[in-house]
Amino acid sequence: MYDFTPYVFLMGILAFVITAVVEMIKRSSLGDKIKKKDLPILSFVVGIAVGVIAKDFTVYSYFTMSIIGAMSGLTSCGLFDLTKFTKKEEK
């Protein structure tokens, strides 16, 4: 079975960065123009951008880093939970 630990670790680190960037955007002059319902989309887009920028510091491809960034963006806004990588119990 494949080990996803490096990916999850990287997602956790990027989630902190993405949360900080989204908070800076919300508190800037752009924050008044962004509706609350659009914050997950903003986190998703910022996540992809941060993932692609962070590619230069990793050994992963742009595609992999954009997926990691997108998942980190969804994690930072609460739509994706990194801790739910567990198997379902069979009845």
Side-chain angles (χ1 to χ4, degrees):
M1 182 163 243
Y2 192 75
D3 183 23
F4 289 100
T5 305
Y7 298 116
V8 174
F9 180 73
L10 189 56
M11 283 183 226
I13 292 172
L14 289 181
F16 285 117
V17 174
I18 294 164
T19 302
V21 170
V22 170
E23 280 298 316
M24 287 191 304
I25 292 171
K26 282 177 17 181
R27 294 175 188 219
S28 70
S29 61
L30 290 173
D32 298 333
K33 299 175 184 175
I34 298 172
K35 297 176 184 173
K36 190 169 185 166
K37 68 175 185 165
D38 295 333
L39 287 178
I41 296 169
L42 177 66
S43 294
F44 182 76
V45 172
V46 168
I48 292 173
V50 169
V52 169
I53 291 169
K55 189 266 180 223
D56 293 334
F57 304 105
T58 66
V59 295
Y60 303 117
S61 68
Y62 282 110
F63 177 75
T64 303
M65 288 306 295
S66 64
I67 297 297
I68 289 172
M71 292 175 74
S72 298
L74 294 176
T75 298
S76 72
C77 71
L79 290 179
F80 181 75
D81 191 2
L82 288 176
T83 61
K84 289 189 178 180
F85 281 124
T86 59
K87 295 181 181 179
K88 292 183 179 180
E89 294 182 18
E90 295 181 15
K91 292 183 178 182

